[in-house]
């Protein structure tokens, strides 16, 4: 199949920056709303043959998922599917809480499906065509961490400090030391800027020093959590917004990948069970 004729897969990711400061206006904070699992629905007017093909393909894939386990990196290539089968796949998998994109060194688009721990991973060429389209399992696709390590530096010189800074010099040194010591599997080191006495000059210094870089992740649960890579390896902006898109927690996490973006072992086990139930429903519709 010619990739240029493919129907685009709708990745619901938007560009994001480090955030902005809250205003001084008083406002009531809306109660957070937790996203819950909602089983996808089959698209209308699809052929029974396409539904049967998808059911067979996903059934075999679930068997591989169980055999290899959560960290088994089970993959399924979707690039060459015929349009009718691709449409059933697009609608059947649904959308989960986490989505992401990278702008360098390659253009990846990542969407967690409605089944946590099962991810849709696409690479987009400069001309807009998909060159990779696959399903894979795991806490989060490795392409995101790989992109961070390939574009961020292992060292970042301290910035110049303008008048008005309070704690920026101490925070910069803490970030540099923790980033240099960070190893795979280490617990995150979290700097909660919301709770610290920091001036606008402190925040501006940190924003310009660390930068807003090439990997952006959005996790939807209680409100939105926006995760953005920086110019320093293993250092991430992690910012929580309520349902009114007001910044309520502004933090820096020093870790391989922030935990809020990761699917858990329990998520994966639940997803296998839900996928089997969904496949049974597909069989009943054929």
């Amino acid at each position: 199949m010619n990739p240029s004729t493919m129907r685009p897969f709708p990745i619901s990711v938007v560009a994001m920056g480090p955030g902005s400061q809250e205003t001084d206006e008083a406002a009531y904070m809306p109660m957070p709303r937790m996203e819950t699992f909602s089983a996808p629905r089959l698209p209308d007017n699809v052929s029974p043959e396409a539904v049967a093909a998808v059911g067979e393909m996903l059934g075999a894939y679930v068997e591989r998922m169980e055999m290899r386990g959560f960290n088994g990196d089970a993959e399924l290539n979707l690039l060459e599917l015929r349009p009718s089968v691709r449409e059933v796949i697009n609608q059947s998998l649904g959308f989960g809480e986490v989505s992401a994109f990278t702008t360098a060194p390659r253009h990846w688009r990542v969407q967690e499906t409605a089944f946590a721990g099962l991810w849709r991973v696409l690479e987009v060429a400069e001309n807009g065509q998909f060159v990779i389209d696959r399903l894979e399992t795991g806490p989060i696709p490795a392409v995101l961490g790989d992109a961070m390590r390939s574009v961020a530096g292992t060292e970042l010189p301290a910035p110049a400090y303008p008048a008005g800074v309070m704690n920026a010099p101490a925070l910069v040194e803490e970030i540099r030391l923790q980033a240099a010591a960070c190893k795979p599997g280490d617990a995150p080191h979290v700097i909660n800027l919301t709770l610290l006495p920091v001036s606008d000059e402190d925040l501006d210094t940190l924003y310009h020093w660390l930068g807003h870089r090439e990997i952006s992740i959005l996790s939807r649960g209680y409100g939105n959590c926006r995760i953005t890579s920086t110019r320093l390896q293993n250092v991430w902006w992690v910012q929580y917004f309520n349902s009114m898109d007001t910044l309520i927690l502004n933090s820096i996490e020093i870790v391989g990948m922030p935990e809020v973006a990761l699917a858990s072992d329990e998520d994966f086990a639940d997803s296998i069970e839900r996928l089997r139930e969904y496949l049974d429903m597909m069989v009943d519709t054929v």
Side-chain angles (χ1 to χ4, degrees):
M1 183 170 114
N2 185 347
S4 64
T5 65
M6 293 180 181
R7 181 178 184 273
F9 180 70
I11 295 290
S12 54
V13 187
V14 294
M16 58 190 107
S20 58
Q21 296 302 298
E22 299 181 41
T23 66
D24 294 330
E25 298 177 2
Y28 292 103
M29 185 179 298
M31 291 296 291
R33 180 176 64 86
M34 183 64 182
E35 299 292 336
T36 58
F37 175 75
S38 178
R41 298 179 59 185
L42 288 174
D44 296 328
N45 302 319
V46 294
S47 69
E49 292 78 14
V51 175
V54 170
E56 181 178 354
M57 179 172 27
L58 290 182
Y61 186 61
V62 172
E63 296 293 339
R64 290 175 57 199
M65 289 169 62
E66 283 194 304
M67 180 178 65
R68 298 194 178 192
F70 189 36
N71 296 311
D73 299 324
E75 294 186 1
L76 178 62
N77 182 13
L78 306 176
L79 192 61
E80 300 300 327
L81 296 178
R82 64 182 187 271
S84 60
V85 175
R86 188 180 180 85
E87 179 66 17
V88 175
I89 284 283
N90 287 349
Q91 297 295 329
S92 297
L93 295 177
F95 296 94
E97 291 184 359
V98 179
S99 52
F101 69 90
T102 71
T103 59
R106 297 158 68 177
H107 297 282
W108 293 101
R109 298 292 181 267
V110 169
Q111 175 66 58
E112 187 177 38
T113 70
F115 306 95
L118 177 58
W119 304 83
R120 189 80 174 266
V121 180
L122 304 100
E123 184 183 0
V124 186
E126 293 294 336
N127 62 5
Q129 294 182 354
F130 295 142
V131 293
I132 291 176
D133 181 3
R134 65 177 181 246
L135 291 179
E136 64 178 72
T137 61
I140 198 166
V143 296
L144 300 178
D146 292 345
M148 159 62 118
R149 287 184 289 274
S150 66
V151 296
T154 57
E155 296 181 358
L156 191 59
Y161 297 109
V165 297
M166 296 169 51
N167 287 316
L171 290 172
V172 165
E173 290 309 307
E174 179 180 357
I175 293 167
R176 293 175 70 195
L177 289 172
Q178 291 292 333
C182 183
K183 301 184 297 297
D186 283 355
H189 181 82
V190 180
I191 301 173
N192 188 337
L193 297 172
T194 305
L195 298 180
L196 289 176
V198 289
S199 64
D200 289 343
E201 289 80 8
D202 287 328
L203 293 174
D204 287 344
T205 298
L206 291 175
Y207 288 152
H208 287 101
W209 177 60
L210 288 173
H212 166 227
R213 304 304 292 176
E214 290 85 356
I215 299 92
S216 296
I217 305 170
L218 178 62
S219 177
R220 305 169 183 85
Y222 287 113
N224 290 331
C225 177
R226 301 176 189 172
I227 304 164
T228 313
S229 65
T230 70
R231 296 196 295 159
L232 188 56
Q233 280 190 18
N234 300 315
V235 179
W236 304 82
W237 289 109
V238 180
Q239 299 173 309
Y240 291 83
F241 296 77
N242 65 14
S243 58
M244 300 298 291
D245 207 34
T246 300
L247 180 64
I248 57 176
L249 178 60
N250 188 19
S251 64
I252 294 171
E253 286 196 21
I254 301 157
V255 68
M257 180 64 65
E259 185 175 4
V260 68
L262 304 178
S264 68
D265 292 344
E266 294 78 9
D267 291 332
F268 185 67
D270 289 344
S271 291
I272 289 179
E273 181 179 349
R274 288 167 173 167
L275 266 169
R276 290 199 177 280
E277 293 172 353
Y278 184 72
L279 289 171
D280 289 342
M281 181 274 292
M282 292 181 71
V283 170
D284 292 339
T285 65
V286 177

